[in-house]
Amino acid sequence: MNSVRIGVLGLASAVAGFALSGCFASQPAPECTVTQTSAGFGLSPYHVKLTKIDGASPCGDLKSIAVGVQRSRLPPAMGTTTPVSGGFTLHIKPSPAVDMWNGLVFSADHDDSNNCSAGEDCDTCVASGDPDVDNVCMSVPDPVPRVDPNDPDGKNLVGAGKLPQFPTDGVCVATDFTGMTQNFQEEVVDLVDGGTETFPAITVKEEWTDFEILSTAKAPGTIWRAKLKYTEGSCVANYDAFAFWPEVHCETDADCDPNADVDAGRVLGSGINPEFKPTCDTAVGICTPSVTWDELK
């Protein structure tokens, strides 16, 4: 009888010990991650502040750019269906090359249907969609799409780099980026006055190095920094880049508050990580972290 009781008690202790060890066993380290941005799902790109190291105009005049980011696991090895462990591919789609491809940099007034002219009622004419310049007599430049004949689908506008599976001391370092180069062909546009405007062939290239992503409890893949070498034709400029997500537009610090304040008319907060302690950078109208990289690390 006693031996049975001891056996039952021993089994119960073993089960309890197993349960406790399972609850308090060390957990695997979190993988390297980034916020997946997608315009189609309303997820803003990373806002990237640029600090110029060197470079002249026009390529050295950038203050900030937008960068779309996605992460994908490496594909299975040839002849297998098992995903490769040990790392990811980091995809980035940065402006201004993407904007140039969409025709937002090069433009000409080759369509007068959207213009305001002196013969119209300038008090009601809306030309640009920009509230700062609407209702004025003006012509509106029209976008000119740029095409790389060797990359008509713009696949090389997206960069791909190697991302480790796990962070080291809270940092994931992306390396070996490829892509992000376009050799735009010459474009000749017929203007409304019967003339033409020629946009010469130009090479646009972005080279990213020292790409570090914070992967900590305070900042799980929502902030990164890097160095950018930007080439536009014969112009070359180098920048320090500091990126954060989400990109939230603002006029005052209250617009950046992560917390809602119904009494102040803010039913929702900004959606920004409270650890960023965001404030409004009124020069660009974007909510910006007020804490440093090391403080988030």
Side-chain angles (χ1 to χ4, degrees):
M1 185 68 174
N2 289 340
S3 61
V4 173
R5 182 178 299 167
I6 292 173
V8 172
L9 290 175
L11 177 62
S13 298
V15 171
F18 176 79
L20 288 172
S21 65
C23 290
F24 296 101
S26 60
Q27 300 298 311
E31 292 184 323
C32 289
T33 186
V34 293
T35 296
Q36 312 274 44
T37 65
S38 173
F41 290 98
L43 299 175
S44 73
Y46 285 79
H47 182 84
V48 186
K49 295 180 65 175
L50 298 178
T51 302
K52 185 172 71 173
I53 299 172
D54 56 54
S57 296
C59 65
D61 297 334
L62 301 176
K63 304 299 182 184
S64 66
I65 59 175
V67 175
V69 179
Q70 288 191 359
R71 184 201 73 169
S72 62
R73 194 171 292 277
L74 297 177
M78 185 68 69
T80 72
T81 58
T82 304
V84 176
S85 62
F88 304 93
T89 297
L90 183 69
H91 308 275
I92 64 173
K93 191 172 185 179
S95 65
V98 172
D99 291 342
M100 298 173 81
W101 176 54
N102 288 333
L104 301 179
V105 172
F106 299 102
S107 58
D109 183 22
H110 57 86
D111 178 10
D112 61 357
S113 64
N114 59 352
N115 292 345
C116 293
S117 67
E120 298 177 2
D121 182 357
C122 293
D123 291 333
T124 59
C125 181
V126 177
S128 69
D130 184 343
D132 294 330
V133 294
D134 279 348
N135 300 321
V136 295
C137 299
M138 62 180 295
S139 62
V140 179
D142 307 298
V144 178
R146 304 306 304 259
V147 177
D148 182 337
N150 295 317
D151 185 26
D153 296 326
K155 293 181 179 178
N156 283 333
L157 288 166
V158 179
K162 297 178 181 178
L163 187 67
Q165 184 175 7
F166 298 107
T168 300
D169 295 329
V171 177
C172 301
V173 180
T175 59
D176 301 330
F177 281 100
T178 59
M180 295 173 288
T181 300
Q182 292 285 279
N183 296 303
F184 292 120
Q185 66 186 8
E186 179 183 280
E187 301 289 348
V188 179
V189 179
D190 294 325
L191 303 179
V192 293
D193 61 3
T196 62
E197 184 168 355
T198 299
F199 296 96
I202 190 171
T203 295
V204 177
K205 184 177 183 179
E206 297 191 25
E207 300 169 83
W208 293 85
T209 56
D210 300 326
F211 201 109
E212 299 180 323
I213 305 168
L214 273 187
S215 185
T216 64
K218 289 184 177 181
T222 53
I223 200 164
W224 49 265
R225 64 183 181 182
K227 292 190 181 298
L228 168 63
K229 180 180 180 181
Y230 177 61
T231 300
E232 187 176 314
S234 60
C235 182
V236 179
N238 290 282
Y239 295 92
D240 284 323
F242 178 69
F244 48 88
W245 186 92
E247 182 181 71
V248 176
H249 295 265
C250 62
E251 294 181 358
T252 67
D253 288 345
D255 298 328
C256 305
D257 193 333
N259 301 307
D261 187 344
V262 177
D263 293 337
R266 295 197 316 274
V267 180
L268 300 173
S270 64
I272 301 173
N273 184 344
E275 295 286 352
F276 287 3
K277 300 179 181 178
T279 59
C280 184
D281 183 346
T282 55
V284 294
I286 296 292
C287 296
T288 304
S290 65
V291 294
T292 66
W293 176 275
D294 289 335
E295 287 173 326
L296 288 172
K297 186 179 176 181

XYZ file of all heavy atoms in Angstrom, residues 40-137:
703
model
N -0.986 48.820 -50.815
C -2.273 48.204 -51.074
C -3.056 47.899 -49.812
O -4.279 47.857 -49.824
N -2.345 47.689 -48.700
C -2.996 47.414 -47.427
C -2.951 48.619 -46.493
O -3.230 48.501 -45.301
C -2.339 46.210 -46.757
C -2.615 44.910 -47.448
C -1.690 44.374 -48.324
C -3.817 44.246 -47.255
C -1.944 43.176 -48.982
C -4.081 43.051 -47.914
C -3.148 42.504 -48.782
N -2.591 49.772 -47.025
C -2.574 50.995 -46.225
C -1.442 51.063 -45.225
O -1.526 51.824 -44.257
N -0.386 50.268 -45.425
C 0.762 50.284 -44.522
C 1.824 51.210 -45.094
O 2.370 50.940 -46.176
C 1.314 48.869 -44.341
C 0.346 47.857 -43.730
C 0.969 46.463 -43.723
C -0.046 48.275 -42.321
N 2.107 52.280 -44.389
C 3.005 53.306 -44.905
C 4.423 52.777 -45.043
O 4.804 51.808 -44.372
C 3.003 54.514 -43.962
O 3.706 54.214 -42.764
N 5.238 53.412 -45.889
C 6.651 53.040 -45.962
C 7.402 53.565 -44.747
O 6.854 54.309 -43.935
C 7.117 53.735 -47.242
C 6.238 54.948 -47.336
C 4.900 54.495 -46.818
N 8.643 53.177 -44.624
C 9.510 53.774 -43.615
C 9.866 55.190 -44.052
O 10.168 55.434 -45.228
C 10.797 52.967 -43.461
C 10.652 51.676 -42.713
C 10.124 50.545 -43.332
C 11.068 51.559 -41.390
C 10.003 49.346 -42.647
C 10.950 50.365 -40.696
C 10.412 49.267 -41.329
O 10.295 48.077 -40.657
N 9.828 56.126 -43.107
C 10.332 57.467 -43.368
C 11.829 57.463 -43.065
O 12.245 57.059 -41.971
C 9.623 58.502 -42.489
C 10.079 59.912 -42.759
N 9.556 60.671 -43.773
C 11.019 60.682 -42.148
C 10.151 61.853 -43.783
N 11.042 61.877 -42.813
N 12.639 57.896 -44.018
C 14.089 57.818 -43.892
C 14.681 59.232 -43.902
O 14.639 59.919 -44.927
C 14.709 56.974 -45.022
C 16.206 56.796 -44.790
C 14.025 55.621 -45.124
N 15.190 59.650 -42.758
C 15.864 60.943 -42.665
C 17.290 60.787 -43.181
O 17.997 59.834 -42.821
C 15.880 61.445 -41.222
C 14.525 61.761 -40.655
C 14.625 62.264 -39.219
C 15.360 63.586 -39.156
N 15.366 64.135 -37.774
N 17.714 61.724 -44.017
C 19.041 61.668 -44.610
C 19.894 62.830 -44.115
O 19.451 63.978 -44.104
C 18.958 61.715 -46.134
C 18.210 60.561 -46.810
C 18.162 60.777 -48.317
C 18.858 59.221 -46.492
N 21.114 62.519 -43.703
C 22.094 63.531 -43.334
C 23.253 63.417 -44.315
O 23.922 62.382 -44.372
C 22.607 63.314 -41.902
O 21.494 63.346 -40.997
C 23.601 64.394 -41.512
N 23.475 64.483 -45.089
C 24.484 64.415 -46.146
C 25.890 64.340 -45.569
O 26.250 65.109 -44.680
C 24.363 65.622 -47.073
C 25.304 65.547 -48.277
C 25.039 66.656 -49.275
C 25.468 68.010 -48.755
N 25.359 69.050 -49.797
N 26.675 63.405 -46.095
C 28.092 63.305 -45.765
C 28.896 64.128 -46.767
O 29.756 64.922 -46.393
C 28.552 61.835 -45.778
C 27.774 61.026 -44.735
C 30.057 61.739 -45.516
C 28.029 59.532 -44.812
N 28.596 63.941 -48.051
C 29.222 64.741 -49.108
C 28.375 64.628 -50.362
O 27.513 63.758 -50.477
C 30.664 64.282 -49.387
C 30.747 62.807 -49.738
O 30.032 62.360 -50.665
O 31.501 62.075 -49.080
N 28.598 65.542 -51.310
C 27.853 65.517 -52.568
C 27.287 66.881 -52.912
O 26.914 67.660 -52.033
N 27.236 67.178 -54.208
C 26.737 68.461 -54.698
C 25.316 68.306 -55.226
O 24.753 67.203 -55.247
C 27.663 68.978 -55.801
N 24.722 69.418 -55.657
C 23.391 69.375 -56.258
C 23.477 68.684 -57.624
O 24.510 68.748 -58.296
C 22.854 70.796 -56.431
O 22.682 71.422 -55.193
N 22.411 68.036 -58.085
C 21.114 67.902 -57.408
C 21.026 66.680 -56.486
O 20.150 66.618 -55.631
C 20.145 67.746 -58.569
C 20.947 66.982 -59.585
C 22.359 67.511 -59.468
N 21.947 65.723 -56.663
C 21.797 64.477 -55.913
C 22.117 64.647 -54.436
O 21.747 63.805 -53.619
C 22.667 63.380 -56.516
S 24.433 63.706 -56.410
N 22.794 65.731 -54.076
C 23.140 65.954 -52.683
C 22.137 66.789 -51.923
O 22.426 67.233 -50.805
N 20.950 67.013 -52.515
C 19.949 67.891 -51.891
C 18.854 67.130 -51.159
O 17.896 67.733 -50.670
C 19.302 68.780 -52.959
C 20.299 69.712 -53.613
O 21.320 70.037 -52.973
O 20.052 70.104 -54.776
N 18.965 65.817 -51.089
C 17.906 65.031 -50.453
C 17.908 65.242 -48.936
O 18.952 65.242 -48.303
C 18.083 63.547 -50.761
C 18.071 63.135 -52.229
C 18.354 61.649 -52.369
C 16.729 63.476 -52.871
N 16.733 65.414 -48.372
C 16.566 65.522 -46.918
C 15.932 64.261 -46.329
O 16.204 63.897 -45.188
C 15.696 66.734 -46.573
C 16.216 68.060 -47.125
C 17.593 68.392 -46.571
C 18.068 69.745 -47.099
N 19.455 70.052 -46.658
N 15.092 63.642 -47.099
C 14.434 62.412 -46.657
C 13.912 61.670 -47.871
O 13.708 62.268 -48.943
C 13.289 62.706 -45.681
O 12.251 63.417 -46.338
N 13.704 60.379 -47.712
C 13.095 59.562 -48.751
C 12.152 58.571 -48.081
O 12.125 58.450 -46.859
C 14.147 58.793 -49.588
C 14.994 57.870 -48.698
C 15.038 59.753 -50.372
C 15.958 56.994 -49.472
N 11.373 57.883 -48.888
C 10.499 56.813 -48.392
C 11.026 55.484 -48.906
O 11.475 55.385 -50.050
C 9.068 57.036 -48.864
N 10.982 54.465 -48.057
C 11.489 53.140 -48.439
C 10.472 52.078 -48.043
O 10.097 51.979 -46.863
C 12.849 52.839 -47.779
C 13.300 51.413 -48.101
C 13.912 53.835 -48.244
N 10.029 51.311 -49.015
C 9.192 50.154 -48.737
C 10.067 48.957 -48.395
O 11.135 48.778 -48.993
N 9.636 48.146 -47.448
C 10.456 47.030 -46.957
C 9.606 45.771 -46.812
O 8.462 45.837 -46.347
C 11.102 47.375 -45.602
C 11.926 46.194 -45.088
C 11.974 48.616 -45.705
N 10.166 44.640 -47.212
C 9.548 43.347 -46.958
C 10.650 42.324 -46.684
O 11.785 42.489 -47.133
C 8.691 42.879 -48.138
C 7.401 43.667 -48.304
C 6.456 43.034 -49.291
O 6.746 42.005 -49.885
N 5.299 43.649 -49.483
N 10.283 41.283 -45.960
C 11.206 40.201 -45.646
C 10.624 38.893 -46.148
O 9.425 38.647 -46.018
C 11.402 40.119 -44.128
C 12.412 39.089 -43.659
C 12.169 38.723 -42.189
N 10.969 37.897 -42.016
C 10.639 37.267 -40.892
N 11.404 37.395 -39.821
N 9.542 36.538 -40.813
N 11.467 38.049 -46.740
C 10.993 36.743 -47.176
C 12.010 35.685 -46.790
O 13.216 35.954 -46.738
C 10.764 36.713 -48.696
O 11.975 36.939 -49.394
N 11.517 34.493 -46.496
C 12.425 33.401 -46.147
C 13.068 32.858 -47.414
O 12.467 32.867 -48.489
C 11.671 32.288 -45.412
C 12.593 31.296 -44.719
C 11.800 30.349 -43.833
N 11.203 31.021 -42.686
C 11.856 31.277 -41.551
N 13.129 30.950 -41.420
N 11.232 31.864 -40.555
N 14.305 32.404 -47.278
C 15.015 31.885 -48.431
C 14.271 30.697 -49.023
O 13.696 29.880 -48.297
C 16.435 31.469 -48.028
C 17.331 32.617 -47.513
C 18.687 32.059 -47.076
C 17.524 33.675 -48.579
N 14.247 30.554 -50.350
C 13.485 29.467 -50.983
C 14.124 28.109 -50.731
O 15.305 28.026 -50.363
C 13.541 29.835 -52.468
C 14.811 30.610 -52.608
C 14.938 31.404 -51.328
N 13.355 27.043 -50.929
C 13.918 25.699 -50.754
C 15.081 25.445 -51.705
O 15.152 26.036 -52.782
C 12.733 24.776 -51.067
C 11.527 25.633 -50.899
C 11.942 27.016 -51.280
N 15.982 24.571 -51.299
C 17.082 24.189 -52.171
C 16.543 23.427 -53.374
O 15.445 22.862 -53.344
C 18.080 23.337 -51.392
N 17.306 23.417 -54.451
C 16.878 22.762 -55.681
C 16.505 21.298 -55.417
O 17.262 20.553 -54.789
C 18.007 22.824 -56.709
C 17.626 22.273 -58.080
S 16.407 23.317 -58.920
C 17.411 24.754 -59.265
N 15.310 20.901 -55.873
C 14.879 19.530 -55.747
C 14.257 19.184 -54.405
O 13.945 18.015 -54.154
N 14.080 20.196 -53.513
C 13.472 19.946 -52.208
C 12.300 20.887 -52.004
O 12.085 21.826 -52.769
C 14.483 20.155 -51.068
O 14.748 21.562 -50.926
C 15.785 19.441 -51.353
N 11.519 20.611 -50.969
C 10.399 21.484 -50.612
C 10.587 22.082 -49.222
O 9.694 22.753 -48.716
C 9.078 20.703 -50.643
O 9.155 19.591 -49.735
C 8.777 20.195 -52.045
N 11.743 21.852 -48.622
C 11.998 22.344 -47.276
C 12.670 23.708 -47.329
O 13.719 23.860 -47.958
C 12.917 21.376 -46.500
O 12.322 20.081 -46.494
C 13.123 21.869 -45.072
N 12.053 24.762 -46.722
C 12.673 26.090 -46.745
C 14.066 26.069 -46.110
O 14.330 25.318 -45.167
C 11.702 26.944 -45.913
C 10.410 26.207 -45.954
C 10.778 24.753 -46.008
N 14.923 26.883 -46.640
C 16.270 26.993 -46.100
C 16.213 27.731 -44.768
O 15.590 28.778 -44.660
C 17.190 27.747 -47.083
C 18.567 27.943 -46.477
C 17.285 26.980 -48.387
N 16.810 27.164 -43.751
C 16.857 27.840 -42.457
C 18.111 28.693 -42.372
O 19.055 28.510 -43.141
C 16.837 26.823 -41.322
O 17.985 25.987 -41.397
N 18.108 29.614 -41.445
C 19.318 30.373 -41.197
C 19.343 31.757 -41.790
O 20.350 32.450 -41.675
N 18.259 32.229 -42.396
C 18.304 33.589 -42.897
C 17.120 33.947 -43.758
O 16.250 33.121 -44.062
N 17.089 35.211 -44.176
C 16.000 35.767 -44.974
C 16.583 36.599 -46.107
O 17.764 36.934 -46.110
C 15.099 36.662 -44.118
C 14.523 36.001 -42.903
C 15.168 36.088 -41.682
C 13.336 35.295 -42.984
C 14.643 35.485 -40.558
C 12.799 34.686 -41.862
C 13.452 34.778 -40.647
N 15.721 36.939 -47.040
C 16.026 37.970 -48.033
C 15.273 39.235 -47.633
O 14.071 39.184 -47.362
C 15.608 37.530 -49.442
O 16.354 36.377 -49.820
C 15.894 38.642 -50.446
N 15.983 40.349 -47.588
C 15.369 41.635 -47.264
C 15.179 42.409 -48.565
O 16.138 42.672 -49.287
C 16.255 42.432 -46.310
C 15.677 43.771 -45.846
C 14.476 43.544 -44.932
C 16.737 44.602 -45.126
N 13.932 42.751 -48.869
C 13.608 43.493 -50.083
C 13.333 44.952 -49.716
O 12.542 45.217 -48.802
C 12.373 42.899 -50.761
C 12.449 41.417 -50.988
N 13.051 40.862 -52.090
C 12.009 40.373 -50.239
C 12.982 39.540 -52.030
N 12.346 39.220 -50.907
N 13.960 45.877 -50.426
C 13.689 47.300 -50.184
C 13.425 47.987 -51.521
O 14.053 47.673 -52.540
C 14.836 48.005 -49.426
C 16.124 48.011 -50.239
C 15.068 47.351 -48.079
C 17.229 48.841 -49.584
N 12.459 48.895 -51.499
C 12.090 49.655 -52.707
C 12.139 51.135 -52.353
O 11.190 51.688 -51.788
C 10.694 49.244 -53.171
C 10.330 49.778 -54.560
C 9.020 49.188 -55.052
C 8.725 49.609 -56.475
N 7.462 49.016 -56.990
N 13.257 51.792 -52.636
C 13.447 53.159 -52.158
C 13.143 54.223 -53.216
O 13.335 54.013 -54.416
C 14.944 53.178 -51.807
C 15.554 52.228 -52.795
C 14.493 51.203 -53.139
N 12.644 55.368 -52.750
C 12.647 56.553 -53.589
C 14.062 57.153 -53.464
O 14.808 56.748 -52.568
C 11.591 57.542 -53.096
O 11.913 58.037 -51.803
N 14.474 58.090 -54.301
C 13.681 58.713 -55.368
C 13.669 57.966 -56.682
O 12.994 58.390 -57.616
C 14.366 60.072 -55.522
C 15.789 59.804 -55.208
C 15.768 58.765 -54.105
N 14.426 56.869 -56.798
C 14.443 56.152 -58.075
C 13.052 55.675 -58.462
O 12.656 55.747 -59.622
C 15.402 54.971 -58.007
N 12.284 55.203 -57.507
C 10.934 54.737 -57.799
C 10.066 55.899 -58.249
O 9.284 55.797 -59.189
C 10.324 54.044 -56.570
C 8.856 53.729 -56.807
C 11.099 52.771 -56.252
N 10.216 57.058 -57.612
C 9.446 58.227 -58.021
C 9.822 58.651 -59.437
O 8.975 59.057 -60.233
C 9.678 59.391 -57.057
C 9.070 59.123 -55.693
O 8.215 58.235 -55.607
O 9.470 59.780 -54.724
N 11.108 58.566 -59.755
C 11.538 58.916 -61.103
C 10.924 57.964 -62.117
O 10.513 58.353 -63.204
C 13.070 58.881 -61.188
C 13.746 59.883 -60.267
S 15.536 59.684 -60.244
C 15.981 60.554 -61.731
N 10.849 56.690 -61.747
C 10.251 55.689 -62.629
C 8.771 55.999 -62.848
O 8.230 55.828 -63.934
C 10.441 54.314 -62.010
C 9.803 53.184 -62.746
C 9.963 52.860 -64.063
C 8.911 52.206 -62.221
N 9.239 51.729 -64.391
C 8.588 51.313 -63.262
C 8.364 51.986 -60.962
C 7.728 50.236 -63.088
C 7.529 50.907 -60.787
C 7.206 50.043 -61.844
N 8.081 56.478 -61.797
C 6.661 56.790 -61.914
C 6.409 58.145 -62.564
O 5.272 58.545 -62.738
C 6.015 56.790 -60.516
C 5.883 55.383 -59.969
O 5.791 54.439 -60.743
N 5.886 55.248 -58.662
N 7.478 58.867 -62.882
C 7.304 60.139 -63.562
C 7.068 61.300 -62.629
O 6.536 62.327 -63.030
N 7.444 61.179 -61.374
C 7.183 62.246 -60.421
C 8.345 63.227 -60.298
O 8.245 64.208 -59.581
C 6.869 61.652 -59.045
C 5.664 60.721 -59.004
C 5.451 60.177 -57.606
C 4.417 61.445 -59.481
N 9.445 62.949 -61.002
C 10.586 63.858 -60.949
C 10.725 64.614 -62.255
O 10.851 65.829 -62.275
C 11.882 63.083 -60.630
C 13.105 63.991 -60.773
C 11.826 62.525 -59.218
N 10.680 63.908 -63.383
C 10.784 64.541 -64.685
C 9.374 64.841 -65.190
O 8.510 63.987 -65.162
C 11.507 63.620 -65.662
C 12.910 63.293 -65.231
C 13.210 62.084 -64.656
C 13.923 64.223 -65.393
C 14.494 61.780 -64.259
C 15.212 63.929 -64.995
C 15.504 62.708 -64.428
N 9.143 66.069 -65.681
C 7.804 66.435 -66.121
C 7.871 67.506 -67.194
O 8.869 68.203 -67.353
C 6.963 66.934 -64.938
O 7.601 68.037 -64.326
N 6.787 67.622 -67.951
C 6.666 68.640 -68.995
C 5.195 68.962 -69.178
O 4.329 68.111 -68.931
C 7.263 68.144 -70.302
N 4.898 70.165 -69.617
C 3.508 70.543 -69.820
C 3.102 70.148 -71.244
O 3.103 70.954 -72.156
C 3.328 72.050 -69.602
C 1.863 72.464 -69.726
O 1.000 71.589 -69.557
O 1.608 73.647 -70.002
N 2.742 68.864 -71.405
C 2.356 68.393 -72.731
C 0.861 68.092 -72.831
O 0.401 67.564 -73.838
C 3.170 67.151 -73.120
C 3.060 66.015 -72.155
N 2.057 65.089 -72.211
C 3.848 65.645 -71.107
C 2.209 64.189 -71.255
N 3.298 64.508 -70.554
N 0.108 68.444 -71.804
C -1.339 68.244 -71.805
C -1.983 69.466 -71.180
O -1.876 69.699 -69.973
C -1.691 66.979 -71.023
C -3.204 66.746 -70.941
O -3.949 67.463 -71.641
O -3.621 65.868 -70.177
N -2.667 70.283 -72.026
C -3.232 71.529 -71.496
C -4.610 71.357 -70.881
O -5.200 72.312 -70.369
C -3.300 72.594 -72.600
C -4.188 72.168 -73.761
O -4.695 71.025 -73.734
O -4.364 72.964 -74.704
N -5.140 70.133 -70.876
C -6.490 69.937 -70.341
C -6.546 70.130 -68.831
O -7.623 70.358 -68.276
C -7.000 68.536 -70.700
O -6.198 67.538 -70.080
N -5.410 70.057 -68.152
C -5.407 70.224 -66.693
C -4.810 71.567 -66.277
O -4.507 71.778 -65.110
C -4.636 69.080 -66.020
C -3.190 69.009 -66.504
O -2.813 69.715 -67.432
N -2.406 68.142 -65.889
N -4.655 72.476 -67.233
C -4.055 73.774 -66.926
C -5.100 74.830 -66.590
O -6.229 74.790 -67.074
C -3.240 74.287 -68.114
C -2.000 73.459 -68.369
O -1.601 72.675 -67.520
N -1.406 73.627 -69.535
N -4.706 75.813 -65.795
C -5.475 77.033 -65.624
C -4.835 78.092 -66.519
O -3.616 78.216 -66.563
C -5.416 77.517 -64.179
S -6.246 76.420 -63.014
N -5.649 78.837 -67.237
C -5.102 79.850 -68.134
C -5.756 81.192 -67.859
O -6.766 81.297 -67.172
C -5.339 79.467 -69.592
O -6.725 79.507 -69.902
N -5.156 82.233 -68.407
C -5.655 83.586 -68.155
C -7.059 83.787 -68.703
O -7.767 84.690 -68.296
C -4.700 84.611 -68.771
N -7.471 82.933 -69.647
C -8.798 83.076 -70.222
C -9.884 82.444 -69.380
O -11.055 82.534 -69.721
N -9.522 81.824 -68.280
C -10.512 81.187 -67.421
C -10.674 81.980 -66.138
O -9.937 82.915 -65.859
C -10.070 79.754 -67.108
C -9.957 78.867 -68.335
C -9.456 77.473 -68.005
O -9.243 77.199 -66.813
O -9.276 76.674 -68.939
N -11.674 81.612 -65.376
C -11.916 82.273 -64.092
C -10.876 81.771 -63.095
O -11.009 80.694 -62.533
C -13.336 81.961 -63.598
C -13.642 82.667 -62.289
O -12.742 83.336 -61.740
O -14.787 82.544 -61.814
N -9.843 82.568 -62.864
C -8.731 82.101 -62.029
C -9.123 81.976 -60.561
O -8.391 81.364 -59.784
C -7.535 83.051 -62.167
S -6.821 83.015 -63.823
N -10.229 82.555 -60.168
C -10.638 82.440 -58.771
C -11.188 81.054 -58.459
O -11.233 80.646 -57.303
C -11.702 83.493 -58.429
C -11.122 84.906 -58.440
O -9.910 85.021 -58.193
O -11.875 85.853 -58.707
N -11.615 80.357 -59.479
C -12.202 79.040 -59.238
C -11.408 77.922 -59.899
O -11.710 76.763 -59.692
C -13.651 78.990 -59.761
O -13.648 79.281 -61.164
C -14.516 80.002 -59.032
N -10.421 78.269 -60.682
C -9.652 77.238 -61.379
C -8.767 76.484 -60.395
O -8.014 77.079 -59.636
C -8.787 77.892 -62.455
S -7.819 76.716 -63.397
N -8.876 75.181 -60.389
C -8.056 74.338 -59.519
C -7.093 73.567 -60.416
O -7.517 72.794 -61.265
C -8.921 73.379 -58.689
C -8.044 72.462 -57.860
C -9.882 74.179 -57.816
N -5.809 73.775 -60.196
C -4.837 73.231 -61.128
C -4.082 72.022 -60.609
O -3.960 71.019 -61.287
C -3.844 74.314 -61.519
N -3.564 72.113 -59.411
C -2.546 71.149 -59.000
C -3.003 70.119 -57.979
O -2.365 69.083 -57.825
C -1.353 71.894 -58.402
O -1.727 72.461 -57.159
N -4.049 70.420 -57.251
C -4.404 69.556 -56.137
C -3.666 69.900 -54.866
O -3.952 69.362 -53.805
N -2.704 70.804 -54.954
C -1.947 71.259 -53.782
C -2.628 72.508 -53.240
O -2.715 73.525 -53.938
C -0.500 71.565 -54.192
C 0.375 71.963 -53.012
O -0.170 72.323 -51.941
O 1.602 71.923 -53.171
N -3.126 72.481 -51.995
C -3.866 73.632 -51.467
C -3.028 74.907 -51.390
O -3.573 75.998 -51.318
C -4.297 73.166 -50.072
C -3.367 72.048 -49.722
C -3.045 71.376 -51.020
N -1.702 74.777 -51.409
C -0.857 75.966 -51.340
C -0.806 76.729 -52.663
O -0.440 77.909 -52.694
C 0.567 75.588 -50.914
C 0.623 75.058 -49.489
O -0.214 75.489 -48.668
O 1.499 74.235 -49.212
N -1.146 76.063 -53.758
C -1.027 76.732 -55.058
C -2.296 76.633 -55.895
O -2.315 77.062 -57.044
C 0.159 76.150 -55.864
C 1.473 76.458 -55.202
C -0.001 74.652 -56.068
N -3.366 76.083 -55.346
C -4.612 75.995 -56.098
C -5.202 77.377 -56.361
O -4.868 78.360 -55.697
C -5.626 75.146 -55.331
C -5.382 73.660 -55.546
O -4.598 73.308 -56.443
O -5.973 72.865 -54.806
N -6.154 77.398 -57.301
C -6.896 78.611 -57.621
C -6.003 79.745 -58.105
O -6.176 80.898 -57.746
C -7.726 79.087 -56.415
C -8.725 78.035 -55.990
O -9.322 77.374 -56.841
N -8.889 77.869 -54.693
N -5.013 79.386 -58.914
C -4.143 80.396 -59.524
C -4.052 80.098 -61.012
O -4.327 78.992 -61.462
C -2.731 80.398 -58.906
C -2.776 80.818 -57.453
C -2.087 79.036 -59.050
N -3.681 81.104 -61.778
C -3.511 80.914 -63.218
C -2.139 80.300 -63.468
O -1.115 80.939 -63.237
C -3.623 82.252 -63.947
S -5.231 83.038 -63.728
